Amino acid sequence: MKHRTIIEPFRIKSVEPIGLSTEEERAEHLINAHYNPFLLHSRDVIIDLMTDSGTSAMSAHQWAGMMEGDEAYAGSRSWERMEQEVRDLTGMPHILPAHQGRAAERIIYGHLGRPGKVFISNTHFDTTRANIEFSGAMAIDIPIAEGKDTALQHPFKGNMDVAALDQLLKEHKGHVGAVILTVTNNSGGGQPVSLANAEGVASICRKHDVLFLLDCCRIAENSWFVKHREPGMEGSTYRQIAQRMFALADGAVMSAKKDALVNMGGFLALRDEVLADACTNLLIITEGFTTYGGLSGRDMEAIAIGLREVFDPHYLDYRIKSTTYLGRKLHELGVPLMRPIGGHAVYIDAKKLYAHIPPHQYPGQALVCELYRLGGIRSVEIGSVMFGKYVADGSLIPSAMELVRLAIPRRVYTQSHIEYVAEAFEEVLRQRDRVRGYRIVKEPKFLRHFTAHFEPIV
Ligand SMILES: *Cc1c(COP(=O)(O)O)cnc(C)c1O
């Protein structure tokens, strides 16, 4: 039978209750959280789409593996399983465990970066950029031009601009720390990178003799797009596609909280022994011994299993199609979106949705608050609250875009949860003209979106 419904390719063995609430209660919770969803209690959230990081549901097989975790300080059996799995996937000989992605980033970029060095990426994820800049080095983003237009359709909006890369490598000759391809491109909307683009980047890096690294948190999701959108790739398996991409790189950094389907973990994979030895020193000083690096044996067991499960074609099909399903529903309702829909999230264009709210009154924050008040749905503003910059006279330079991200946790919500989210948007649209902007009444110096307090403008 050919079916229309995307059924979840799993059934539920263990449930976690969701606390339901009324709109009046949520209006109260919003006041108590100073209109900042980061300050809400998770128990007061109905559908939590704040992030897909570390929020995956593990399989029965992973939970069973946790019980088998070998917690030995050195030479843990669970480490051997994880190392074997990562080696097999990446084809890289040196694997270093880390407790999450940014710990692996601190090790490699802490070693490669220093004042005067330059790193180049399709788009540096914010922790990647922070670790590079913390070392004193500079981070340059060169996504393709199509990637910057929210409405434009392109199959691989996550691609790197290879002509710009060639130019930059000439300009910064002798000062390049590494070239980093983020797959999928998280900050650029979860958009995929083609294998052809990765090949282009790799050959330019070889020509200039610079290190080529993959930020591979969502490489399984990326492989789905390659198989279905890139000519000639339909005959390969998702895992083979990922392996071909790894084969092009000199190293990889992974936050296992994404496509390894676990709640905590990460790793660094490298080809070069000298580089691996230098990183191993930092690993032992800051994360832990080489056979656990900040992870419990049970975590490593779950990662080894998750890295295999994530390439299951039924899982990946469900994963990408259910994200697209939400995007398509919202698009049909008339909600302005970033398109095409990426792998792990749907991005709403709040500047278009609330055209009557100017950027310095934070239309994205207004939507985030509306979604919570009307539906108990938690999302994240990615706009002028997160990226706005004050200038000397105290005025705010807004961010280029005012987006709200709905990130979908893996294997957590069912189709009816997604239908509910779409219903909440119907109400958001009905009440759109009534919505007002916000002002910030208290904020820290850095990363203000996490802790700022807001007030509605009446
Ligand atoms: C999440 C993420 C990281 C950082 O990983 P953490 O596990 O959150 O420290 C790095 N790069 C990308 C693309 C990510 O999505």
Side-chain angles (χ1 to χ4, degrees):
M1 171 187 118
K2 232 181 126 52
H3 56 88
R4 272 175 292 118
T5 308
I6 329 150
I7 65 161
E8 290 80 13
F10 46 80
R11 53 187 175 180
I12 295 163
K13 198 181 200 82
S14 175
V15 297
E16 185 178 4
I18 291 176
L20 299 176
S21 50
T22 63
E23 205 173 303
E24 290 69 37
E25 287 166 338
R26 291 192 296 270
E28 195 62 35
H29 296 323
L30 260 185
I31 295 170
N32 294 335
H34 305 281
Y35 300 94
N36 184 346
F38 278 103
L39 303 179
L40 287 168
H41 299 288
S42 118
R43 62 168 183 267
D44 296 328
V45 176
I46 297 179
I47 308 278
D48 204 342
L49 306 182
M50 181 162 255
T51 178
D52 68 319
S53 179
T55 52
S56 300
M58 292 208 295
S59 66
H61 189 191
Q62 283 175 300
W63 281 110
M66 299 273 287
M67 204 60 222
E68 299 256 332
D70 176 358
E71 307 299 343
Y73 191 94
S76 155
R77 193 174 56 236
S78 301
W79 162 244
E80 285 165 15
R81 286 197 187 131
M82 174 174 160
E83 184 187 34
Q84 183 55 46
E85 192 57 47
V86 177
R87 243 187 219 150
D88 190 61
L89 176 64
T90 62
M92 298 188 195
H94 306 288
I95 314 300
L96 285 68
H99 81 274
Q100 63 182 95
R102 72 196 69 180
E105 290 176 337
R106 190 202 52 223
I107 289 169
I108 181 93
Y109 303 130
H111 174 67
L112 296 172
R114 69 194 63 115
K117 288 272 176 190
V118 170
F119 290 78
I120 303 164
S121 176
N122 46 346
T123 309
H124 292 83
F125 180 65
D126 49 15
T127 61
T128 318
R129 173 175 286 276
N131 273 292
I132 288 169
E133 291 177 349
F134 189 71
S135 81
M138 185 167 70
I140 305 174
D141 292 338
I142 46 164
I144 55 168
E146 292 89 336
K148 293 179 232 167
D149 182 343
T150 58
L152 193 100
Q153 291 282 344
H154 184 285
F156 292 104
K157 269 179 145 175
N159 283 354
M160 187 186 282
D161 183 337
V162 285
L165 176 63
D166 200 30
Q167 189 56 38
L168 281 171
L169 291 183
K170 271 183 215 143
E171 265 168 47
H172 296 281
K173 193 172 167 57
H175 303 284
V176 179
V179 171
I180 306 158
L181 197 56
T182 311
V183 294
T184 56
N185 192 6
N186 184 359
S187 309
Q191 297 292 331
V193 175
S194 70
L195 197 56
N197 187 251
E199 279 164 359
V201 171
S203 86
I204 291 170
C205 288
R206 264 197 308 276
K207 183 173 109 186
H208 294 272
D209 195 24
V210 301
L211 198 71
F212 172 31
L213 302 175
L214 283 180
D215 180 343
C216 66
C217 307
R218 297 181 181 81
I219 194 153
E221 292 173 4
N222 197 76
S223 297
W224 187 94
F225 289 103
V226 169
K227 184 177 166 85
H228 298 279
R229 290 186 185 169
E230 193 158 352
M233 295 312 300
E234 49 291 317
S236 304
T237 67
Y238 298 117
R239 203 179 153 81
Q240 284 165 342
I241 293 168
Q243 285 168 326
R244 275 184 65 176
M245 206 170 258
F246 280 119
L248 298 166
D250 301 308
V253 180
M254 180 162 193
S255 165
K257 299 170 74 170
K258 289 42 173 269
D259 270 355
L261 300 170
V262 293
N263 306 117
M264 195 53 72
F267 63 79
L268 180 60
L270 294 166
R271 286 193 202 285
D272 184 68
E273 188 171 346
V274 176
L275 180 57
D277 285 347
C279 289
T280 301
N281 281 331
L282 292 174
L283 176 81
I284 295 172
I285 294 168
T286 61
E287 279 286 286
F289 188 58
T290 54
T291 62
Y292 71 90
L295 293 167
S296 309
R298 52 181 174 272
D299 293 334
M300 299 191 285
E301 203 76 40
I303 291 169
I305 298 167
L307 278 176
R308 198 141 281 260
E309 287 181 350
V310 77
F311 286 101
D312 171 22
H314 297 298
Y315 161 74
L316 274 180
D317 222 38
Y318 141 80
R319 169 71 179 157
I320 306 297
K321 286 185 177 160
S322 56
T323 305
T324 308
Y325 179 80
L326 174 60
R328 189 170 299 153
K329 279 226 129 172
L330 299 187
H331 178 65
E332 281 164 10
L333 287 174
V335 179
L337 302 177
M338 190 151 172
R339 299 183 73 223
I341 307 300
H344 68 288
V346 174
Y347 291 72
I348 320 290
D349 189 336
K351 205 194 284 191
K352 284 193 191 145
L353 179 70
Y354 294 135
H356 59 286
I357 303 177
H360 66 274
Q361 293 181 4
Y362 309 114
Q365 195 66 23
L367 176 57
V368 154
C369 290
E370 277 298 280
L371 276 173
Y372 178 71
R373 192 180 61 82
L374 294 170
I377 298 158
R378 182 152 67 169
S379 55
V380 180
E381 192 262 11
I382 303 187
S384 292
V385 175
M386 203 180 261
F387 296 122
K389 292 241 184 312
Y390 289 112
V391 283
D393 71 355
S395 63
L396 182 93
I397 301 185
S399 154
M401 295 193 263
E402 303 294 337
L403 302 176
V404 166
R405 185 182 76 178
L406 309 175
I408 321 286
R410 296 170 181 78
R411 305 194 290 207
V412 170
Y413 293 116
T414 64
Q415 189 165 353
S416 47
H417 290 117
I418 297 297
E419 299 288 351
Y420 171 86
V421 173
E423 259 176 56
F425 269 92
E426 290 174 25
E427 198 53 36
V428 165
L429 287 174
R430 266 196 289 276
Q431 301 198 20
R432 130 197 233 168
D433 297 333
R434 187 196 49 76
V435 176
R436 296 287 169 265
Y438 284 78
R439 76 168 70 88
I440 293 181
V441 290
K442 185 172 167 229
E443 63 183 298
K445 255 201 151 106
F446 296 102
L447 297 173
R448 64 177 181 169
H449 55 284
F450 288 124
T451 54
H453 292 185
F454 298 84
E455 219 171 60
I457 296 170
V458 283

